Amino acid sequence: MSMRYCIKDYRTSVNPHWLNIFFSNTQISITDYNWVFSDLTAHSTKGNKELEDSIFYKKTFTLTGQELMKIIKNEEVLVLFGVMVAVKEKVDLNEIGKLPVIEEDGHYWTENYVSPIKNAVVEIGFFDGELIIVTTDNQDIVETLKRNVFNFPNLISFKEYMEG
């Protein structure tokens, strides 16, 4: 069964909806994985200029870890809503039967949710700029999140979040 954690109420600390901040504070490796993005609403800027041609304006796409790292170094990406999934192998969107979505998937909001993407290592759901849900059964990622909890003092289990 996958473990689920929530990062919430971080307004007094860093905002992990900025991808560079999320990755630098969670220490989840970018380049070790390929990434699937779905159900996405994001903004991308460089300096104070909106980058209208950024891939982050698409709803669904894939990137290698190296491609994602390059973008994060060159753009400021704010994810308001959507799902990011890390997988070890190269992924073809046409071969994925069902992409993860947050809003119209009642199963997403259950404790026993499992990513519909086969071989997902970690799934990160961004919800309305206020909540991030991390789903994984990879113990190394869980330990990395717990080790870096000081960056997100409000890291709680999904069960605690749903009961709160």
Side-chain angles (χ1 to χ4, degrees):
M1 173 162 37
S2 293
M3 295 166 273
R4 302 191 85 194
Y5 293 91
C6 296
I7 301 169
K8 66 177 204 81
D9 297 333
Y10 45 78
R11 285 175 224 114
T12 59
S13 61
V14 297
N15 183 345
H17 282 259
W18 291 100
L19 288 188
N20 62 329
I21 291 173
F22 176 83
F23 284 111
S24 67
N25 284 281
T26 60
Q27 300 298 308
I28 294 173
S29 175
I30 297 171
T31 57
D32 287 351
Y33 307 106
N34 291 305
W35 295 89
V36 176
F37 294 82
S38 69
D39 198 24
L40 200 67
T41 301
H43 295 284
S44 184
T45 59
K46 188 168 190 168
N48 291 329
K49 184 175 188 223
E50 190 87 14
L51 298 175
E52 294 176 14
D53 61 346
S54 173
I55 194 166
F56 280 91
Y57 286 100
K58 291 184 176 184
K59 278 285 209 198
T60 305
F61 58 92
T62 62
L63 293 170
T64 67
Q66 290 75 20
E67 290 168 331
L68 180 56
M69 178 67 88
K70 183 178 177 185
I71 290 170
I72 289 174
K73 285 182 178 180
N74 292 308
E75 300 177 20
E76 294 90 35
V77 179
L78 177 66
V79 179
L80 300 172
F81 194 88
V83 182
M84 221 169 54
V85 182
V87 294
K88 279 288 191 185
E89 358 5 84
K90 187 105 172 111
V91 177
D92 181 350
L93 285 176
N94 297 320
E95 295 175 5
I96 297 174
K98 179 182 177 196
L99 289 166
V101 294
I102 295 176
E103 204 163 38
E104 296 177 17
D105 183 0
H107 182 60
Y108 187 87
W109 295 98
T110 64
E111 193 175 355
N112 63 348
Y113 170 82
V114 176
S115 179
I117 296 182
K118 179 177 69 169
N119 302 321
V121 177
V122 63
E123 180 176 294
I124 303 149
F126 296 86
F127 187 72
D128 278 351
E130 296 181 7
L131 174 70
I132 296 175
I133 301 173
V134 179
T135 305
T136 186
D137 59 5
N138 183 303
Q139 194 59 43
D140 290 337
I141 291 175
V142 170
E143 292 305 316
T144 297
L145 282 173
K146 288 180 178 178
R147 201 172 39 251
N148 291 289
V149 73
F150 61 89
N151 293 319
F152 304 116
N154 295 324
L155 177 73
I156 60 172
S157 73
F158 183 78
K159 182 177 182 179
E160 287 177 89
Y161 173 76
M162 292 304 285
E163 290 172 352

